[in-house]
Amino acid sequence: MIQIYLHDTLKQRKVPFTPIDTNNVRIYVCGPTVYDKAHLGNAKTPVVYDILYRLLCQVYGKEHVTYVSNITDVDDKILNKHKETGKSIREITEQTYNWYLEDMAKLNVLAPNFRPRATEYIDAMIELVKKLLANGHAYAAENHILFDVDSFAGYGTLSGRSMKEMLAGARIEVADYKKNPADFILWKPSAADQPGWDSPWGYGRPGWHLECSAMSSNLLGNDFDIHGGGSDLIFPHHENELAQSCCAFPGTHFAHYWVHTGMLMINGVKMSKSLGNFYTVDEVLQKAPAEALRLLFLTTHYHQPFNFTFEGLQLAKNTLDKFYNALLKNQDIPTDTVAPSDKIVAALADDLNTPLALSYLHETVNELNKAETPEERRRLKAQLLADAYMLGLLYNDAEKWFKGENDDDETAAIEALIKQRAEAKKNKDWATADAIRNELKTRGIVLEDSPTGTTWKKI
RNA sequence: GGCCGGUUGGCAGAAUGGCUUAUGCAGAGGACUGCAAAUCCUUCUAUAUCGGUUCAAUUCCGGUACCGGCCUCCA
């Protein structure tokens, strides 16, 4: 069994990955807060973990991997959206959730085993707060329940900062009822017109970090293998999850490996809602197929910041044109199901080196283009598709990739013109032949002549 | 201010204590083609900077510069 290496945030270096139980490898990834259409950053992270999921399935077997990715559907941003638009909370979260699922499907992200929603785990969260109060890690102040940071010696280890450092440059406005400025909210009161649930501490709602602790322990157990998310979640979100989970379940370690993805940048600046420099997945997909966006995400190592440009998106599209062109030329070759190549698996096992894996894909495509015998083509085509599957690529039909969804009339019209041109070519009437080709080109259709005839593609 | 990460050719982006530093795009030349397109072949260009360790560093260590992230909601 191949050894997987991952960059662990806790150890701040690449380490060999050893699951707690190879029969049930468990991974939890923080999903989006559903209050608005997903932006590119919201899409990049699930694409990265989709690769990790595919790798874990390949190495340990699909039935031995449990992948959980949550949906945050209780949050003040949703509340604000409700105030702005007048739409009900339920309407906002349902709609946004469905948009998110559509985006994920377009990006060929495999469904996790569970997509738990925070509102379905309120009882579990209340239980967690009770435990923390009972064992002295939480306290009540002015109707809030707060986590007592000083009660957990390990606080700050994940994000690699000491309490002193955090306070040094802190810009937080500190509520005066906090014993320590870093104490964070486990449960807060809701006004009558705000969403809330009855609890031992009155009508209220959970603090942000609580849901992931509750859902991970319910679905994966108190100790599980990998916890993932964007690097902007390291502090305070993951630090706080870690603290409250370890304190609620003494003797457990919560996640054994922490994996974080680099931020998506626009013109060298982190893309974020608060800065307003963001693109939604939706609007980007108006300009290129989803697969091009997926491939673009994989051209940079996940741990690095990723700079998004529309030029890059176009290059990714061109790369896929090259790949699909090779598949198109070998359409008639039967597709065998084979295992992914050792090289691809090794590249991904080395902390998800997707750029290296992509370079192998290029090599295979080049070999396929050069292959002379049907046996060779058959072998290389199968290899290419198996390798591409590990990256979640080449999931489209080659012919559809180039021709799109056309109605029969359009197709017939194009083919009639190609037939006319073939006649002209036969008579060496190059002027007519070129005129037809140019006419089609203005309609975005490119012709390719070959010894066996002429094929067409949409650009 | 504190903590963390980065700096590889025209661009994107891997890898590596020494041998030819991938891969893709772009550029140059060629094959194929009626001409194209697609494809194939050949080819030019890079390790921020200054020190240290070493027989040998782009790679390890330290300083400097620049860039970015986190420290507040964020994937």
Side-chain angles (χ1 to χ4, degrees), chain A residues 122-188:
Chain A
I122 299 292
D123 289 343
M125 291 190 237
I126 290 174
E127 286 309 307
L128 212 53
V129 178
K130 280 188 193 166
K131 277 198 176 72
L132 289 169
L133 281 166
N135 57 25
H137 291 290
Y139 61 96
E142 301 198 8
N143 299 320
H144 291 70
I145 307 298
L146 293 147
F147 183 86
D148 183 354
V149 171
D150 291 320
S151 73
F152 180 55
Y155 194 78
T157 49
L158 179 66
S159 52
R161 58 192 88 208
S162 68
M163 289 305 301
K164 233 186 202 171
E165 286 161 6
M166 276 188 284
L167 298 180
R171 285 179 273 162
I172 334 165
E173 217 168 297
V174 181
D176 52 13
Y177 53 78
K178 288 186 180 181
K179 293 200 318 206
N180 182 313
D183 289 349
F184 56 91
I185 290 171
L186 296 169
W187 191 265
K188 59 180 159 188

Side-chain angles (χ1 to χ4, degrees), chain A residues 168-335:
Chain A
R171 285 179 273 162
I172 334 165
E173 217 168 297
V174 181
D176 52 13
Y177 53 78
K178 288 186 180 181
K179 293 200 318 206
N180 182 313
D183 289 349
F184 56 91
I185 290 171
L186 296 169
W187 191 265
K188 59 180 159 188
S190 290
D193 63 341
Q194 289 177 324
W197 292 262
D198 289 321
S199 79
W201 321 286
Y203 181 73
R205 58 191 193 278
W208 172 36
H209 317 296
L210 199 53
E211 60 177 272
C212 293
S213 290
M215 293 189 280
S216 62
S217 76
N218 268 254
L219 293 167
L220 298 176
N222 299 334
D223 278 283
F224 57 96
D225 296 297
I226 302 167
H227 191 130
S231 64
D232 54 351
L233 296 182
I234 295 171
F235 189 89
H237 186 51
H238 289 164
E239 191 72 64
N240 292 353
E241 277 181 44
L242 177 66
Q244 68 200 179
S245 284
C246 288
C247 291
F249 308 105
T252 65
H253 298 87
F254 199 48
H256 288 210
Y257 299 86
W258 290 84
V259 176
H260 291 98
T261 59
M263 292 292 98
L264 196 140
M265 325 280 283
I266 302 284
N267 295 324
V269 181
K270 178 187 148 184
M271 181 173 86
S272 76
K273 279 263 173 181
S274 48
L275 292 174
N277 62 337
F278 65 95
Y279 295 110
T280 65
V281 174
D282 206 37
E283 68 187 310
V284 167
L285 294 191
Q286 305 297 317
K287 307 212 176 179
E291 188 173 357
L293 181 59
R294 179 175 176 108
L295 183 140
L296 181 60
F297 285 151
L298 303 180
T299 57
T300 300
H301 185 87
Y302 78 88
H303 200 250
Q304 299 289 119
F306 170 83
N307 196 41
F308 174 83
T309 62
F310 283 101
E311 291 76 12
L313 187 63
Q314 182 57 46
L315 289 179
K317 159 76 165 61
N318 295 348
T319 299
L320 287 168
D321 283 346
K322 177 183 161 182
F323 290 180
Y324 277 115
N325 189 56
L327 289 176
L328 191 64
K329 284 199 297 190
N330 292 287
Q331 254 190 139
D332 49 333
I333 304 274
T335 307

Side-chain angles (χ1 to χ4, degrees), chain A residues 39-104:
Chain A
H39 65 221
L40 291 178
N42 289 318
K44 189 207 161 198
T45 298
V47 167
V48 167
Y49 290 104
D50 186 53
I51 304 288
L52 179 55
Y53 179 49
R54 284 167 193 259
L55 177 67
L56 293 172
C57 288
Q58 173 63 30
V59 173
Y60 298 101
K62 190 171 170 54
E63 64 281 11
H64 299 300
V65 181
T66 307
Y67 176 22
V68 177
S69 182
N70 70 299
I71 299 292
T72 300
D73 61 352
V74 51
D75 181 273
D76 285 356
K77 283 198 287 291
I78 298 169
L79 199 57
N80 293 340
K81 195 85 181 173
H82 159 68
K83 281 182 197 156
E84 280 168 34
T85 62
K87 286 185 187 168
S88 74
I89 301 266
R90 185 84 189 157
E91 199 180 338
I92 293 165
T93 58
E94 279 303 302
Q95 169 136 76
T96 312
Y97 179 53
N98 286 327
W99 282 334
Y100 181 71
L101 291 185
E102 281 169 27
D103 288 342
M104 291 302 107

